[in-house]
Amino acid sequence: MIRKVLNKRYRLHKERRILPILNELEKNQYLTCEEIENLQKTKLSNILKIAVDNVPYYDYLKKESAEIFSDGISSKQMLDKFPVLTKKIIIDNYKSLINPRCQNKVIKNYSGGSTGKPVKLLQDSVMRDYGLAATIRSDRWAGWEFGSSVFKFWGASRDQSAHLKEKAKRFLFNEYVFDAFGWDKDTIKTIYKLMKKEKPEIIIAYASALYFYVDTVKQMGLKPNHVPKGIITSADMLYDWQRKEIEEYFNCKVFNRYGCRELGLISCECKEHNGMHISSDRIYLEVVDDNNQPVPDGCAGRILITDLTNTAMPIIRYEIGDIGTISKQRTCKCGRGLPKLESIQGRITDYIVSSDGKYVSGTALTTVVPQLNNVQQIQIIQKEKGKVLTKVVKGANYSKQDELNIETVLKKYLGIDMIIEIEYVSSLLNEKSGKYRFVVNEMC
Ligand SMILES: [Zn+2]
């Protein structure tokens, strides 16, 4: 109990700078949808204006400034004037994307490197503080409070030389951090025993790491030994079957969330577990089609994020690389007015863009395989819109008729105007990851 009080005091002292922001965000979440949209529009207009007035990359928009920021213009109309910002554009135009007049304290941050070269971004202290406050707000939805004991199954590698520092931090934060990579059965057993001893109120984990833990302890015949208040999963896709197994084992609900290293928390589930509330008071999230136009709510498209707080390097219409859907339902039983992301359907690289601009998932396309005769293995690669390259490993009785069949079947899913090129190969080489990918989108 004494430790809990100490932890609470320490955390409140350490985070004192962000407490006013946290109060602001706590209030914002219960505004109506319309009030949140208005608040967002004010913040959006402010950050876009800072970009046009100060950032060399957006200099060419100065002549349209009066039109972009005219009375009565909508958020969508404002954003429509701005180009999509890809990771490649940031790398190629790094210096011209920086605001030379930013007065706030500036720090460097990097994107995750799972899909290529990490991207360096500049953040100011306001963005960092809003990011942290938004994370704390949604941690609370899962039952976390200042002083809560936490187990983290995370990816940061632990440096042995920092052992003492880690111990002190663990005590002060009441937090155990387990490196989620390279676990063996002994490590898992140690965590299992510690779980019983420390009884963490909250577990925060990579979805895949926590699933691996649950699956392994079950295989070892180790019965559940603790029921936490809440479980938060993040960082990678949480599949329904993983959620089911984790919830059953811990007898506790999973609060899934979505975010990325470079922008922080984007959305998080509330106790209704029916979509993830978007942090719309600190970011503007768009779901767009192939022409960068918003798709109707309930339809899948590419996710673009505009940060509403970072004046050091305004991040406008950032291509995060994921496909998602905004929920059609504008209200939630929990009473929060923040809009919801219905789902994240995966990486853009796992989608083919059909000839009429729709995103067709690789998973959906796997249903074509049984319709293809005499094909041993197949891979669909898209390098440009309107055209796909299909690599085929022929089966024993493959004929011209089977080639025509591939074209007919694929056109049914990808559009009648899609150009289907077929290349015959002796095998489909594994990528560096060692995984065979059925669909590869090389356009992004
Ligand atoms: Zn809700």
Side-chain angles (χ1 to χ4, degrees), residues 26 56 107 119 147 176 212 215-216 266 288 317 348 383 438:
E26 292 280 9
I107 47 171
V119 180
Y176 278 83
F212 181 72
D215 197 45
T216 312
I266 292 169
V288 299
R317 309 194 87 192
I348 288 176
K383 293 183 180 173
F438 173 55

Side-chain angles (χ1 to χ4, degrees), residues 224-351:
N225 57 5
H226 170 59
V227 179
K229 260 188 180 172
I231 296 172
I232 299 167
T233 54
S234 184
D236 48 12
M237 285 283 284
L238 173 72
Y239 297 98
D240 288 346
W241 48 273
Q242 291 176 322
R243 179 196 289 265
K244 189 169 172 281
E245 207 161 320
I246 294 169
E247 288 184 344
E248 274 175 11
Y249 185 79
F250 283 107
N251 190 23
C252 173
K253 284 285 183 186
V254 168
F255 292 73
N256 194 30
R257 69 170 54 158
Y258 171 61
C260 63
R261 190 184 299 182
E262 58 272 38
L263 296 173
L265 178 81
I266 292 169
S267 59
C268 184
E269 281 179 9
C270 65
K271 65 177 171 50
E272 298 301 325
H273 303 281
N274 182 20
M276 298 181 280
H277 285 290
I278 303 164
S279 303
S280 293
D281 43 1
R282 65 171 284 266
I283 57 158
Y284 189 101
L285 184 146
E286 297 172 85
V287 173
V288 299
D289 64 15
D290 200 40
N291 294 314
N292 302 326
Q293 290 302 308
V295 298
D297 291 349
C299 295
R302 284 157 43 234
I303 295 177
L304 303 180
I305 305 279
T306 299
D307 180 89
L308 302 175
T309 54
N310 187 16
T311 59
M313 183 190 252
I315 303 296
I316 301 165
R317 309 194 87 192
Y318 178 64
E319 176 94 67
I320 197 163
D322 289 320
I323 299 283
T325 307
I326 292 180
S327 173
K328 274 186 195 168
Q329 277 190 325
R330 280 297 161 132
T331 54
C332 183
K333 280 184 187 162
C334 74
R336 292 181 180 89
L338 296 168
K340 289 201 281 192
L341 254 185
E342 190 175 284
S343 59
I344 302 294
Q345 283 104 323
R347 304 289 303 170
I348 288 176
T349 46
D350 297 326
Y351 279 72

